[in-house]
Amino acid sequence: MKRLVVLLLAMFMVSSLVTAAGQGEKGGPSFPEKDLTLIVPWSAGGGTDTIARALVKNAKEYIGVNVNVVNKTGGQGVVGMAEVMSGRPDGYTVGLITFGLSTYKLMGLSEMTFRDFELLQLLNQSAAVIYVKADSQWDSLKDLVDYAKANPGQVSLGHTGAGGDKHLSAASFATEEGIEFNYVPFDGAAPSRSAVLGGHVDVAVAGIAEVKQLYEAGEIKVLCVNNLVKEPNFPDIPTIVEAGFDIEAPVLDWRGLALPKGVAEDRVAFLEEGFKKMFDDPEFRQFCEEVGLTLVYEDSTGFEDFLGNMEKVLTPTLESVGLLK
């Protein structure tokens, strides 16, 4: 009988040691035990994909495992983000979510919104700039607005696609100021730049990186950056407020990180801390500065507030251009 008791005690101790070895600091199974997957809803080689790969380049240094980028494209980003939303809530699937998530439901493209995700953090915000040809009759945003108000629908404005962040940035401003532009869509920033330089449209919106060379060469005038803060690398360009317009919440392009709903709290906390360290990585930050990407960090709470406000701004904006469903 004694031998049986001793044997049982020995087995219990071994079992306890094995269990303890596989436990994390918070008492759950150790995490992560394998590489993570970061789903990017846009094509390999594109801007969002490039940023994602730069972010996780040194992941192992911060979370102990690699983060593998997987591109899931289609449906203007819907396919990839839907895969994140429906993924297993075990913490091993992370998604890079983007601006389209703010418009899908409002435009009738999908029922999916940011509320269907466990938000981790905001990575960046990018503002549109409003620009004209160097010899344009307008030297300031006020000049342009005054003319547009006196000539409704006569000012043609080029953008890179209906319902995109650049189009809606301009439309939101127009709605706020009660002006009417004649919107002209182009298949990308390059043809819209050519249209401005060729005099085919009067004004256009783009990201500052997309018109940087033209601006520095003096071929265009940038009337403002549609944001409340300066473009760090272009302090001479006025913000929308500095240009004389009291805008509370301009439409901004954005990127962030999210998980499927239902991931355990300790794993969410671990990932929040780990991805923040990747965000603060000097190599990543230097890369973003070189490519002109404005980094803006918000934790999950700040990210949620930002996205909620974005929906409020986008609803009347989409209605004004006939895209609200």
Side-chain angles (χ1 to χ4, degrees), residues 99 125-128 165 168-177 225-229 239-241 245-254 305-318:
F99 177 81
Q125 295 171 340
S126 299
D165 62 284
L168 297 178
S169 175
S172 175
F173 172 64
T175 301
E176 286 268 352
E177 295 304 313
V225 55
N226 192 10
N227 201 355
L228 306 182
V229 297
T239 66
I240 195 79
V241 175
F245 299 90
D246 189 19
I247 304 298
E248 291 186 6
V251 171
L252 302 171
D253 190 14
W254 60 265
D305 290 343
F306 165 72
L307 293 178
N309 288 331
M310 185 66 66
E311 276 191 359
K312 292 177 183 177
V313 173
L314 286 170
T315 299
T317 301
L318 287 165

Side-chain angles (χ1 to χ4, degrees), residues 26-29 31 89-91 118-120 259-274 300:
K26 299 189 179 185
F31 174 83
D90 56 9
E118 182 74 49
L119 300 177
L120 279 182
L259 303 168
K261 282 280 193 182
V263 177
E265 289 184 7
D266 59 338
R267 296 190 176 193
V268 173
F270 175 86
L271 292 171
E272 285 179 330
E273 181 179 354
S300 56

Side-chain angles (χ1 to χ4, degrees), residues 147-156 179-183 202:
Y147 183 91
K149 285 184 175 180
N151 301 273
Q154 296 303 303
V155 176
S156 56
I179 57 180
E180 181 184 341
F181 289 124
N182 175 22
Y183 296 101
D202 301 310

Side-chain angles (χ1 to χ4, degrees), residues 12-91:
F12 175 77
M13 291 176 67
V14 170
S15 175
S16 298
L17 288 171
V18 171
T19 300
Q23 300 290 308
E25 293 181 0
K26 299 189 179 185
S30 58
F31 174 83
E33 297 179 310
K34 59 182 180 179
D35 290 351
L36 274 61
T37 295
L38 176 61
I39 294 177
V40 174
W42 301 100
S43 300
T48 299
D49 173 76
T50 302
I51 292 161
R53 293 178 190 276
L55 175 68
V56 302
K57 181 180 179 181
N58 299 324
K60 194 167 186 176
E61 179 180 343
Y62 300 115
I63 62 173
V65 298
N66 295 313
V67 179
N68 301 315
V69 174
V70 175
N71 302 90
K72 296 287 184 179
T73 62
Q76 300 181 48
V78 171
V79 172
M81 284 186 254
E83 181 149 335
V84 177
M85 182 183 70
S86 61
R88 290 185 62 182
D90 56 9

Side-chain angles (χ1 to χ4, degrees), residues 32-302:
E33 297 179 310
K34 59 182 180 179
D35 290 351
L36 274 61
T37 295
L38 176 61
I39 294 177
V40 174
W42 301 100
S43 300
T48 299
D49 173 76
T50 302
I51 292 161
R53 293 178 190 276
L55 175 68
V56 302
K57 181 180 179 181
N58 299 324
K60 194 167 186 176
E61 179 180 343
Y62 300 115
I63 62 173
V65 298
N66 295 313
V67 179
N68 301 315
V69 174
V70 175
N71 302 90
K72 296 287 184 179
T73 62
Q76 300 181 48
V78 171
V79 172
M81 284 186 254
E83 181 149 335
V84 177
M85 182 183 70
S86 61
R88 290 185 62 182
D90 56 9
Y92 287 99
T93 298
V94 185
L96 203 157
I97 57 176
T98 60
F99 177 81
L101 192 60
S102 292
T103 63
Y104 293 149
K105 187 170 184 178
L106 296 174
M107 293 174 63
L109 299 175
S110 168
E111 288 298 304
M112 184 169 48
T113 76
F114 71 87
R115 298 171 186 83
D116 298 310
F117 296 82
E118 182 74 49
L119 300 177
L120 279 182
Q121 69 182 59
L122 179 69
L123 291 174
N124 92 288
Q125 295 171 340
S126 299
V129 296
I130 301 174
Y131 70 99
V132 295
K133 193 177 177 182
D135 62 1
S136 168
Q137 62 180 301
W138 307 305
D139 293 320
S140 69
L141 187 61
K142 186 177 185 307
D143 292 342
L144 170 62
V145 169
D146 287 346
Y147 183 91
K149 285 184 175 180
N151 301 273
Q154 296 303 303
V155 176
S156 56
L157 185 144
H159 60 85
T160 54
D165 62 284
K166 305 302 185 296
H167 174 216
L168 297 178
S169 175
S172 175
F173 172 64
T175 301
E176 286 268 352
E177 295 304 313
I179 57 180
E180 181 184 341
F181 289 124
N182 175 22
Y183 296 101
V184 182
F186 291 91
D187 187 20
S192 68
R193 289 195 300 264
S194 297
V196 170
L197 295 177
H200 306 299
V201 295
D202 301 310
V203 59
V205 288
I208 186 62
E210 296 168 329
V211 295
K212 177 176 179 288
Q213 290 182 332
L214 293 179
Y215 175 66
E216 292 176 340
E219 295 185 58
I220 62 170
K221 292 184 283 192
V222 178
L223 304 182
C224 81
V225 55
N226 192 10
N227 201 355
L228 306 182
V229 297
K230 289 279 195 182
E231 277 290 332
N233 297 321
F234 298 90
D236 55 323
I237 298 176
T239 66
I240 195 79
V241 175
E242 290 172 338
F245 299 90
D246 189 19
I247 304 298
E248 291 186 6
V251 171
L252 302 171
D253 190 14
W254 60 265
R255 298 179 180 91
L257 299 173
L259 303 168
K261 282 280 193 182
V263 177
E265 289 184 7
D266 59 338
R267 296 190 176 193
V268 173
F270 175 86
L271 292 171
E272 285 179 330
E273 181 179 354
F275 275 100
K276 179 59 164 64
K277 290 176 180 177
M278 294 179 221
F279 178 87
D280 290 332
D281 181 86
E283 187 176 348
F284 173 66
R285 299 189 73 85
Q286 181 180 350
F287 169 80
C288 292
E289 183 177 342
E290 289 172 356
V291 300
L293 179 75
T294 304
L295 293 176
V296 178
Y297 175 82
E298 291 283 358
D299 64 13
S300 56
T301 301

